[in-house]
């Protein structure tokens, strides 16, 4: 596997990185396992939470460096990278401030006697993370792990090696001891080998269905706990009484943010018939007017896709969708310019016989559907292999809440695009994976919830 920075805006290779050798991997794993058996992991939580507080400060101080590195490696516009850095600082600070309360022993009533549940670390975790949010994906696993006392080894995506190294360096600067958080440039085969090692006690993956299937199967084979956050084909529902301007504005960012390369990005727009014509006209116009260009330009909304492979894959998907009857309202092809750009695209006339109906478009492509009533909206929303996030724009909040309860997904946001905050549990159902990250639910995924009972006999 080649780890390299290839700037998707210039299409030029910036730097390549050598894979870690088997000997280097063994040293890293041994250090992490050794740390787990010390007071750092199993003693007072205070020093670990102090590291998280310091990490939050360092991320904030380095927000521009982080954003520029993301722009260079995967094409994220600067202001979006800065937003990611701010969220990451918030996550570190959230666990620094709340972990003690979340992890305190919980009493359990029983006729056997006095009982309580303690929360202890389980051991070294292996995290396999994607390129689309190169710092955020890491901290979702690392921050709660530090709070609990679980050392983390991570394999990042091969196209963001500088982001991977930069994050590990910030954690070290924050005061984490050697072995607490380790970045490794390794192959997928090495990941499978590590999952089989007895020193690894949990596996967290964010990525594609294919990667999740392999990692989940391997973890299950080795009787290891795993969490998987996979793809999504989120609905963006616009009801007749929605604020049209806000719905269009939210829809544009929900589809074009990060060049559409977001698992929780809005991908299936379901619009109630009464507002469909007005929304379609405004939305298509806004897509056409999106500023495309250099991700380091503050005016840029739509940067390039992260890789040539991603661009070619998206192009093939759209071509296949059109060949099966989809209509292109705007876009539908690679942008006529250098860099891995794809035109903002809106497709309609998609039926369930079209392969695109059940696919995830990981790029600036929206599928537009029109529905007549709540029953049709719910049926269309739930006719998906995925169940990660979703959005509803409505004036009648009571109706929107009822719809939200009926949509088969892990998250629903009303009158705002799907987003993430430190306190909000993040995850999905169906082929979008299992488990949660962030919030109090996320920190509990890799803990030993130990029951202790004092008999009253």
């Amino acid at each position: 596997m080649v780890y390299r920075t290839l700037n998707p805006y210039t299409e030029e290779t910036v730097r390549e990185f050598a894979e870690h050798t088997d000997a280097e991997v063994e040293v890293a794993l041994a250090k992490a396992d050794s740390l787990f058996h010390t007071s750092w992991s199993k003693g007072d939580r205070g020093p670990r939470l102090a590291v998280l507080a310091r990490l939050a400060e360092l991320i904030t101080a380095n927000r521009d460096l982080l954003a520029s590195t993301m722009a260079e490696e995967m094409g994220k516009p600067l202001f979006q990278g800065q937003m990611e850095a701010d969220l990451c600082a918030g996550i570190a600070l959230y666990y620094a401030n709340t972990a003690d309360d979340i992890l305190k022993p919980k009493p359990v009533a029983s006729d056997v006697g006095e009982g309580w549940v303690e929360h202890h670390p389980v051991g070294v975790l292996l995290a396999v993370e994607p390129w689309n949010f190169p710092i955020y994906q890491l901290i979702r696993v690392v921050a709660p792990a530090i709070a609990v006392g679980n050392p983390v080894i991570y394999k990042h995506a091969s196209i963001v090696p500088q982001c991977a190294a930069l994050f590990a360096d910030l954690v070290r600067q924050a005061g984490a001891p050697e072995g607490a958080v380790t970045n490794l440039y390794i192959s997928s085969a090495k990941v499978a080998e590590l999952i089989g090692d007895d020193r690894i006690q949990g596996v967290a993956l964010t990525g594609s269905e294919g990667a999740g299937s392999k990692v989940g199967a391997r973890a299950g084979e080795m009787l290891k706990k795993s969490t998987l956050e996979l793809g999504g084909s989120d609905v963006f529902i616009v009801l007749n009484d929605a604020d049209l301007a806000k719905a269009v504005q939210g829809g544009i960012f929900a589809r074009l943010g990060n060049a559409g390369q977001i698992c929780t990005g809005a991908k299936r727009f379901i619009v109630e018939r009464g507002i469909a014509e007005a929304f379609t006209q405004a939305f298509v116009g806004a897509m056409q007017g999106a500023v495309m260009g250099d991700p380091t330009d503050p005016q840029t909304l739509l940067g390039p896709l992260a890789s040539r492979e991603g661009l070619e894959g998206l192009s093939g998907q759209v071509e296949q969708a059109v060949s099966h009857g989809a209509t292109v309202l705007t876009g539908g092809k690679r942008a006529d310019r250098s860099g891995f750009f794809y035109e903002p695209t809106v497709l309609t006339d998609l039926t369930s016989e079209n392969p695109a109906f059940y696919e995830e478009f990981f790029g600036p492509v929206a599928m537009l559907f029109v529905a007549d009533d709540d029953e049709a909206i719910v049926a269309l929303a739930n006719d998906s292999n995925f169940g990660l996030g979703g959005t509803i724009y409505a004036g009648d909040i009571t109706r929107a809440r009822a719809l939200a309860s009926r949509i088969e997904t892990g998250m629903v946001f009303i009158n705002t695009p799907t987003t993430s905050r430190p306190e909000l549990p993040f995850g999905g159902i169906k082929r979008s994976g299992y488990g949660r990250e962030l919030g109090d639910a996320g920190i509990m995924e890799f803990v030993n919830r130990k029951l202790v009972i004092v008999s009253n006999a």
Side-chain angles (χ1 to χ4, degrees):
M1 177 175 288
V2 178
Y3 277 81
R4 71 166 168 235
T5 299
L6 193 161
N7 189 316
Y9 177 66
T10 64
E11 302 185 42
E12 296 177 351
T13 297
V14 177
R15 185 180 173 190
E16 293 191 349
F17 296 76
E19 275 192 43
H20 286 99
T21 65
D22 289 349
E24 289 171 325
V25 173
E26 170 56 33
V27 168
L29 182 55
K31 286 181 179 177
D33 182 62
S34 177
L35 183 67
F36 171 66
H37 296 287
T38 69
S39 60
W40 162 260
S41 284
K42 298 185 176 182
D44 177 28
R45 196 176 296 119
R48 301 197 301 272
L49 301 188
V51 167
L52 289 178
R54 177 62 178 149
L55 179 59
E57 295 174 351
L58 287 168
I59 291 173
T60 298
N62 289 275
R63 73 192 294 263
D64 290 341
L65 173 61
L66 290 164
S68 63
T69 306
M70 293 182 226
E72 180 178 59
E73 291 205 292
M74 48 75 62
K76 179 169 293 182
L78 277 181
F79 82 92
Q80 296 177 34
Q82 292 165 342
M83 288 171 60
E84 179 174 340
D86 293 342
L87 175 57
C88 293
I91 291 169
L93 189 60
Y94 169 79
Y95 283 116
N97 291 336
T98 66
D100 261 335
D101 185 61
I102 296 172
L103 296 172
K104 67 183 179 183
K106 302 295 192 295
V108 177
S110 170
D111 62 359
V112 177
E114 180 189 3
W116 64 92
V117 173
E118 300 174 351
H119 303 101
H120 298 278
V122 296
V124 182
L125 307 181
L126 174 64
V128 182
E129 302 300 333
W131 46 263
N132 59 336
F133 287 88
I135 305 302
Y136 166 69
Q137 302 286 9
L138 292 174
I139 204 161
R140 290 196 326 200
V141 176
V142 167
I146 288 175
V148 170
N150 294 319
V152 179
I153 290 173
Y154 64 83
K155 176 221 175 299
H156 217 326
S158 62
I159 68 172
V160 289
Q162 292 187 75
C163 287
L166 180 54
F167 181 79
D169 185 56
L170 290 176
V171 175
R172 283 193 295 271
Q173 289 183 46
E178 197 169 1
V181 178
T182 308
N183 166 50
L184 291 178
Y185 300 137
I186 55 177
S187 66
S188 298
K190 194 65 179 180
V191 167
E193 183 181 322
L194 281 174
I195 294 173
D197 193 295
D198 288 341
R199 291 168 290 185
I200 297 292
Q201 289 299 307
V203 187
L205 175 139
T206 296
S208 67
E209 284 184 82
S213 177
K214 291 176 182 177
V215 167
R218 178 62 171 158
E221 176 189 14
M222 302 310 298
L223 302 179
K224 307 286 178 71
K225 169 76 178 287
S226 65
T227 59
L228 303 178
E229 194 266 281
L230 309 178
S233 188
D234 288 5
V235 292
F236 189 101
I237 297 166
V238 184
L239 301 181
N240 284 340
D241 62 350
D243 183 314
L244 178 63
K246 289 182 179 179
V248 170
Q249 181 183 36
I252 289 298
F253 192 80
R255 185 69 299 241
L256 298 186
N258 205 28
Q261 302 164 121
I262 305 177
C263 297
T264 56
K267 291 158 191 168
R268 296 182 297 144
F269 288 75
I270 302 175
V271 186
E272 195 170 10
R273 190 169 300 278
I275 201 173
E277 183 177 349
F279 178 85
T280 301
Q281 182 178 354
F283 183 67
V284 169
M287 290 282 273
Q288 292 169 338
V291 178
M292 177 191 302
D294 185 347
T296 65
D297 185 337
Q299 301 304 312
T300 297
L301 171 63
L302 180 61
L305 297 184
S307 67
R308 186 183 305 278
E309 294 78 11
L311 175 62
E312 292 173 348
L314 185 67
S315 298
Q317 277 184 289
V318 173
E319 290 170 5
Q320 183 185 53
V322 172
S323 71
H324 283 79
T327 299
V328 178
L329 297 183
T330 189
K333 63 185 186 298
R334 178 176 182 173
D336 184 18
R337 59 178 299 158
S338 62
F340 303 140
F341 290 91
Y342 196 84
E343 294 181 347
T345 298
V346 181
L347 302 177
T348 190
D349 298 325
L350 293 119
T351 68
S352 58
E353 285 73 40
N354 194 319
F357 187 89
Y358 292 107
E359 291 178 345
E360 175 184 22
F361 283 93
F362 216 59
V365 178
M367 293 185 283
L368 183 61
F369 303 89
V370 178
D372 288 312
D373 53 33
D374 289 4
E375 295 305 316
I377 289 169
V378 170
L380 188 53
N382 290 342
D383 190 8
S384 174
N385 297 323
F386 299 100
L388 189 53
T391 299
I392 301 171
Y393 271 79
D396 183 347
I397 302 303
T398 300
R399 181 187 176 197
R401 288 170 65 129
L403 278 174
S405 295
R406 298 174 64 189
I407 295 173
E408 296 167 352
T409 189
M411 304 170 281
V412 180
F413 289 76
I414 297 173
N415 287 338
T416 186
T418 303
T419 188
S420 178
R421 292 292 185 273
E423 68 276 9
L424 301 179
F426 188 102
I429 60 171
K430 300 183 181 179
R431 298 190 70 83
S432 291
Y434 50 78
R436 294 293 183 269
E437 292 179 337
L438 301 181
D440 55 358
I443 200 172
M444 290 297 183
E445 289 287 1
F446 294 104
V447 300
N448 174 16
R449 285 173 267 200
K450 182 191 296 183
L451 173 68
V452 182
I453 293 283
V454 180
S455 173
N456 58 14

